[in-house]
């Protein structure tokens, strides 16, 4: 049986039933291919001793691989039990063309091109998928300390060794964006199909926006990013909401999104150039959902869907997407952990540094929403003065009436929740600080 099932198509105008296909192996579990800089030495030798050096890991048992089967490691990590499969086998690097990748330096590329073997590590993610992902990175760097790169097969992207090493040794896991990739497929008529890879291994659905275009694809990416982050930050005791208020656009227009399984969602579109049934014969046909929006409360109550492009005339410089409290705290911790990069960058006159500060909102807004105690807004660094710094506000706040763009104030590192170093060639955030490491 293929994607379509016409047995229940009894009326002329009845849409055909479409069957969601089973998950592929890389969607059920998280698969990473860890490529050593030197493939002459089997990194799985003394694997138990290597894993024992990870502070939070307790190895329970190790079953070594055979010619027919991979090896398996039973371990405890932060109070949870995990089963991890591994195998060291022949490998041929497919090249950089067509692969979504982080920035690689010459040493990493050279090592990739030389590699003829690689270690595959696979495991099932637990409820806290960021924690599971962090563990997998720790295992990769412990077993292969001198690595060239990591191919995240489940997310279909290539990770720099510098990024992996920094992420593995951090006190907090990588952010939501590390868990997946967003691919943009373009057609000759300008239509763009945005879809994720990597979310299924986290126990949630992949996300898509069809009938985007080259002008608005970046904005639509922000919608995917915000929704993915909210879904990944859910915990067991949180309600699985059908719609989510993810941000504000234009003149305080709320962005309320929902997601519909692709098997139903594609019928909301006519004449799809990309993302239709023909593009789902061999992939993108398992657990994946199309993103829609609700224009107002009435539409939400009646489940009247609108396409995300209804916002395309409202995008501007002041669009704001909400970030969950757990993610805000994680970002803040990482921003503080890697703040040394900012201090060093401030000595370079060619760099511009902007800082996101969490400031107290006005009392009247807290009364309307008790969780709305902080607004996180961007400032440009003016200069350091000991443990303090001066910064200029770059945008109009939503919830602090007396503060306006252009205001210069004095703040401390404790106010910082994120930062960005703008160099002449590229921008660097706490998540991408590896770009400043040779």
């Amino acid at each position: 049986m293929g994607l379509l099932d016409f047995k229940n198509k009894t009326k002329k105008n009845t849409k055909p039933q479409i069957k969601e296909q089973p998950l592929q192996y890389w969607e059920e579990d998280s698969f990473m291919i860890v490529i050593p800089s030197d493939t002459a030495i089997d990194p799985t030798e003394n694997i138990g001793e290597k894993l024992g050096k990870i502070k939070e890991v307790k190895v329970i048992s190790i079953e070594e691989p055979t010619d027919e089967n991979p090896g398996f490691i039973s371990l405890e990590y932060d109070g949870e039990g995990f089963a991890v499969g591994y195998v060291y086998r022949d490998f041929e690097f497919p090249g950089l063309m067509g692969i979504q990748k982080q920035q690689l330096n010459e040493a990493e590329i050279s090592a990739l091109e030389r590699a003829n073997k690689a270690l595959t590590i696979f495991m099932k993610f637990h409820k806290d998928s960021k924690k599971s992902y962090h563990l997998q990175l720790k295992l990769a760097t412990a077993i292969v300390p001198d690595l060239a790169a990591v191919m995240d097969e489940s997310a279909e992207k290539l990770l720099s060794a510098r990024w992996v090493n920094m992420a593995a040794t951090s006190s907090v896991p990588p952010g939501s964006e590390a868990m997946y990739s967003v691919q943009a497929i373009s057609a000759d008529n300008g239509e763009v199909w945005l879809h994720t890879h990597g979310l299924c291994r986290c126990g949630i659905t992949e996300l898509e926006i069809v009938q985007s275009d080259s002008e608005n694809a970046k904005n639509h990416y922000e919608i995917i990013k915000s929704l993915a982050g909210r879904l990944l930050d859910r915990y067991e005791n949180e309600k699985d909401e059908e719609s989510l208020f993810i941000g504000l656009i234009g003149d305080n227009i709320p962005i309320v999104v929902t997601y519909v399984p692709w098997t139903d969602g594609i019928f909301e579109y006519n004449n799809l150039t990309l993302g239709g049934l023909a593009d789902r014969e061999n992939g993108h046909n398992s657990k994946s959902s199309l993103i829609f929006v609700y224009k107002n409360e009435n539409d939400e109550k009646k489940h009247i869907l609108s396409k995300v492009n209804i916002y395309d005339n409202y995008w501007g410089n002041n669009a704001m997407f909400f970030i969950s409290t757990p993610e805000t705290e994680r970002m803040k911790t990482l921003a503080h952990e890697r703040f040394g990069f900012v201090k060093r960058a401030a000595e370079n006159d060619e760099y511009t540094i902007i800082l996101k500060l969490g400031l107290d909102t006005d009392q009247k807004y807290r009364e309307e929403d008790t969780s709305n105690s902080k607004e996180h807004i961007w400032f440009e660094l003016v200069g350091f003065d000991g443990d303090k710094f001066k910064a200029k506000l770059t945008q109009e706040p939503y919830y602090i009436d007396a503060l306006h763009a252009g205001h210069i104030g004095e703040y401390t590192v404790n106010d910082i929740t994120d930062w960005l170093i703008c160099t002449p060639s590229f921008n660097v955030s706490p998540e991408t600080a590896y770009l400043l490491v040779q």
Side-chain angles (χ1 to χ4, degrees):
M1 184 71 67
L3 295 178
L4 294 176
D5 183 358
F6 291 93
K7 288 184 177 180
N8 295 322
K9 189 179 179 184
T10 56
K11 299 178 182 180
K12 286 185 178 180
N13 295 326
T14 301
K15 64 184 181 183
Q17 274 194 341
I18 304 177
K19 290 189 175 182
E20 180 182 285
Q21 299 302 297
L23 296 177
Q24 299 289 339
Y25 70 86
W26 62 86
E27 296 175 316
E28 289 186 325
D29 293 351
S30 177
F31 274 75
M32 290 189 184
I33 301 172
V34 187
I35 304 137
S37 292
D38 182 0
T39 57
I41 301 173
D42 185 348
T44 62
E45 292 182 3
N46 303 316
I47 192 170
E49 181 180 337
K50 290 180 176 179
L51 297 180
K53 294 180 181 179
I54 305 175
K55 183 179 178 181
E56 308 92 336
V57 168
K58 178 183 178 182
V59 178
I60 306 301
S61 64
I62 298 176
E63 182 180 332
E64 294 186 356
T66 65
D67 291 339
E68 294 80 22
N69 299 306
F72 281 94
I73 305 163
S74 175
L75 58 85
E76 288 184 4
Y77 176 67
D78 196 24
E80 292 187 69
F82 288 84
V84 181
Y86 71 98
V87 62
Y88 190 54
R89 60 187 178 190
D90 292 341
F91 169 80
E92 183 178 353
F93 181 55
L96 296 174
M97 292 296 294
I99 296 178
Q100 191 164 133
K101 54 189 174 296
Q102 295 177 334
Q103 291 289 331
L104 304 175
N105 60 28
E106 291 183 6
E108 291 167 335
I109 294 173
S110 178
L112 281 172
E113 292 173 342
R114 293 194 311 268
N116 55 23
K117 285 183 177 294
L119 175 74
T120 298
I121 301 175
F122 58 96
M123 57 184 281
K124 193 169 293 295
F125 278 3
H126 289 197
K127 189 71 176 180
D128 187 343
S129 51
K130 289 183 184 178
K131 175 180 171 181
S132 299
Y133 182 85
H134 201 197
L135 169 61
Q136 197 166 14
L137 296 181
K138 289 175 181 285
L139 297 175
T141 56
I143 301 171
V144 187
D146 185 21
L147 57 86
V150 172
M151 292 187 70
D152 185 345
E153 184 177 359
S154 295
E156 296 191 8
K157 63 181 175 181
L158 183 62
L159 308 177
S160 160
R162 291 164 294 151
W163 182 88
V164 173
N165 285 319
M166 288 185 70
T169 56
S170 175
S171 63
V172 293
S176 299
E177 285 184 89
M179 313 294 295
Y180 62 93
S181 65
V182 179
Q183 295 183 0
I185 309 299
S186 302
D188 292 339
N189 64 356
E191 191 172 309
V192 177
W193 173 26
L194 299 169
H195 55 265
T196 65
H197 291 280
L199 293 177
C200 278
R201 64 175 167 183
C202 303
I204 61 177
T205 178
E206 303 293 345
L207 297 172
E208 306 180 33
I209 293 177
V210 295
Q211 280 189 355
S212 180
D213 56 59
S214 56
E215 183 179 351
N216 291 286
K218 287 184 178 180
N219 298 325
H220 295 164
Y221 164 81
E222 292 296 329
I223 292 177
I224 292 178
K225 172 184 169 182
S226 182
L227 177 55
R230 289 284 294 275
L231 296 179
L232 285 167
D233 282 337
R234 284 178 172 168
Y235 293 95
E236 293 183 24
N237 60 343
E238 287 190 332
K239 183 180 178 182
D240 187 15
E241 298 170 290
E242 186 268 336
S243 61
L244 289 156
F245 177 27
I246 63 169
L248 296 168
I249 191 174
D251 188 18
N252 285 355
I253 300 170
I255 305 175
V256 179
V257 299
T258 188
Y259 51 101
V260 178
W262 73 270
T263 52
D264 295 319
I266 62 170
F267 292 107
E268 297 292 326
Y269 291 85
N270 295 317
N271 303 318
L272 274 176
T273 304
L274 297 169
L277 288 177
D279 291 316
R280 300 179 188 272
E281 285 292 334
N282 300 310
H284 306 288
N285 55 22
S286 57
K287 191 175 182 179
S288 189
S289 299
L290 272 64
I291 300 175
F292 295 90
V293 299
Y294 290 126
K295 291 187 292 188
N296 49 53
E297 290 185 12
N298 183 60
D299 282 6
E300 185 175 358
K301 288 177 182 178
K302 295 183 178 180
H303 197 64
I304 299 173
L305 303 173
S306 294
K307 301 175 179 65
V308 297
N309 58 20
I310 65 168
Y311 294 128
D312 287 353
N313 292 327
Y314 299 96
W315 292 104
N317 295 325
N318 211 25
M320 180 174 71
F321 288 93
F322 304 139
I323 301 174
S324 70
T325 299
E327 176 60 8
T328 299
E329 289 303 312
R330 188 204 68 82
M331 291 171 61
K332 182 176 181 179
T333 300
L334 191 66
H336 292 183
E337 183 180 289
R338 299 179 179 175
F339 195 67
F341 287 99
V342 172
K343 288 190 171 182
R344 289 191 291 274
E347 299 172 2
N348 191 324
D349 293 336
E350 292 187 347
Y351 294 175
T352 299
I353 298 170
I354 57 174
L355 308 166
K356 183 180 283 186
L357 307 182
L359 303 182
D360 293 335
T361 58
D362 292 346
Q363 184 62 37
K364 64 180 181 180
Y365 297 114
R366 299 190 207 182
E367 292 171 357
E368 296 172 3
D369 181 358
T370 56
S371 65
N372 190 20
S373 63
K374 295 281 187 182
E375 182 167 1
H376 301 271
I377 43 183
W378 288 103
F379 288 72
E380 181 178 342
L381 178 67
V382 175
F384 281 98
D385 183 11
D387 294 332
K388 298 180 180 180
F389 59 86
K390 288 185 178 180
K392 181 172 69 174
L393 182 59
T394 64
Q395 63 184 98
E396 285 293 314
Y398 283 95
Y399 304 114
I400 307 173
D401 291 344
L403 204 58
H404 299 284
H407 168 82
I408 296 178
E410 190 172 68
Y411 306 93
T412 70
V413 175
N414 289 333
D415 296 315
I416 293 175
T417 58
D418 200 2
W419 49 258
L420 193 68
I421 300 170
C422 304
T423 79
S425 303
F426 50 81
N427 295 337
V428 181
S429 70
E431 302 285 352
T432 60
Y434 77 98
L435 294 172
L436 299 175
V437 177
Q438 297 301 316

